[in-house]
Amino acid sequence: MKLSVLVLEGPYNHEASDSAYNFIQAALAKGHTIRGIFFYDDGVYNATKLMDPPQDERHISKRWSELGAKGIDMIVCVAAAKRRGITNEVLVPNIRISGLGQLASMIDEADRLVTFGD
Amino acid sequence: MAATGKKVMVTVRKAPHGSIYVQESIEVMFIFATYDMDLSVVFMDDGVLALHPGQDTKGLGIKGFMASLGALVDWEVTKVYVDRQSLKERNIAEDAIISIGKDEETDAPIRPKVLDSAEIAAMMAVQHSLVSF
């Protein structure tokens, strides 16, 4: 199945971002395809390379970037990013900034959209 | 681009103002309405509180979205529904909810259509995608 994923919450504070990541890993392991991942609202904080967690903790943005390196289309909403100071300069590699129209395309071109938020 | 007329439903389930969820769901409605998709919107659970009239966010220092909600029809977001049970549980009368636009001919206010949970469930079952806020 072809899936798209919408992430509405930021890293570390809420589990939504971790759940999204774990869901995607499980889906890939089962042979499903990820059409795209869209970060919206506080979800845009998932994409900043400025985060620097303790060494023995998961590095959430690095983890997302590694997923992006596999060729998964990963987009941060431009309006949500601008509000929160997330610019191209602070993005991890393999994630890009674009608009809600990209979410429309991800929905259109996937069999299912799975939303992770509060 | 999304140009295949697929059925997409946005659900609004959170109370307004305490988080950004309702406001951003409206942004999504406005953008999606410009794409060729069969868009519908359902207010349910605490989301029905967004339809309560007379809200003013000035004292909160936030922009608010009541004007946007009142213009949904102008933005061609026309299939807008609200869950009857959620209204009832919050003691909001069905005829007291805000209008989302005006009828072009009669100028009569258009309000979200009140539906039973079973009707909403049946609509959900035939969607290509649900976008949940």
Side-chain angles (χ1 to χ4, degrees):
Chain A
M1 190 178 278
K2 200 185 277 188
L3 304 165
S4 286
V5 172
L6 174 62
V7 181
L8 298 174
E9 288 294 339
Y12 302 110
N13 203 10
H14 299 263
E15 201 180 355
S17 152
D18 289 294
S19 299
Y21 178 82
N22 292 330
F23 170 82
I24 289 162
Q25 290 290 21
L28 289 171
K30 286 260 185 189
H32 298 293
T33 307
I34 305 297
R35 161 63 186 82
I37 307 169
F38 194 89
F39 297 96
Y40 194 37
D41 297 359
D42 272 0
V44 301
Y45 287 127
N46 281 281
T48 169
K49 66 182 179 191
L50 298 180
M51 68 176 70
D52 188 16
Q55 294 263 325
D56 59 347
E57 269 188 41
R58 69 209 190 287
H59 192 305
I60 288 182
S61 65
K62 196 170 155 221
R63 217 166 55 170
W64 285 121
S65 183
E66 286 163 2
L67 261 188
K70 292 182 177 178
I72 297 173
D73 190 17
M74 302 178 70
I75 302 228
V76 164
C77 170
V78 61
K82 280 176 81 84
R83 283 199 180 97
R84 294 167 177 83
I86 303 297
T87 61
N88 280 317
E89 288 69 39
V90 303
L91 282 186
V92 289
N94 310 318
I95 301 184
R96 63 196 173 98
I97 293 177
S98 192
L100 276 173
Q102 292 295 322
L103 175 61
S105 296
M106 284 183 188
I107 290 171
D108 187 54
E109 293 164 19
D111 300 309
R112 295 279 190 282
L113 173 76
V114 186
T115 303
F116 292 87
D118 266 12
Chain B
M1 299 298 270
T4 48
K6 285 178 181 162
K7 294 171 95 66
V8 175
M9 176 183 278
V10 174
T11 61
V12 185
R13 301 173 300 127
K14 298 279 198 297
H17 318 309
S19 74
I20 197 77
Y21 275 79
V22 178
Q23 185 174 325
E24 294 284 32
S25 74
I26 296 167
E27 294 293 324
V28 165
M29 292 169 206
F30 284 175
I31 297 291
F32 281 14
T34 67
Y35 284 78
D36 180 23
M37 55 171 70
D38 183 359
L39 177 68
S40 57
V41 174
V42 175
F43 290 85
M44 55 192 289
D45 303 333
D46 276 348
V48 302
L49 293 166
L51 303 175
H52 195 269
Q55 298 187 42
D56 181 355
T57 58
K58 266 199 228 91
L60 297 174
I62 59 176
K63 193 171 141 195
F65 49 78
M66 302 318 288
S68 302
L69 272 186
L72 282 179
V73 173
D74 291 343
W75 286 81
E76 296 188 6
V77 181
T78 54
K79 295 181 178 177
V80 184
Y81 308 101
V82 53
D83 175 48
R84 175 169 284 125
Q85 187 66 26
S86 301
L87 285 174
K88 198 176 169 197
E89 285 166 356
R90 289 158 188 82
N91 204 23
I92 300 173
E94 293 181 14
D95 57 1
I97 58 178
I98 61 163
S99 72
I100 52 170
K102 280 182 179 173
D103 186 285
E104 271 181 22
E105 284 170 18
T106 65
D107 221 30
I110 299 170
R111 295 180 207 286
K113 190 174 180 190
V114 182
L115 296 178
D116 290 320
S117 303
E119 293 173 281
I120 293 170
M123 287 171 63
M124 285 177 167
V126 297
Q127 299 298 314
H128 171 67
S129 282
L130 290 164
V131 189
S132 177
F133 284 94

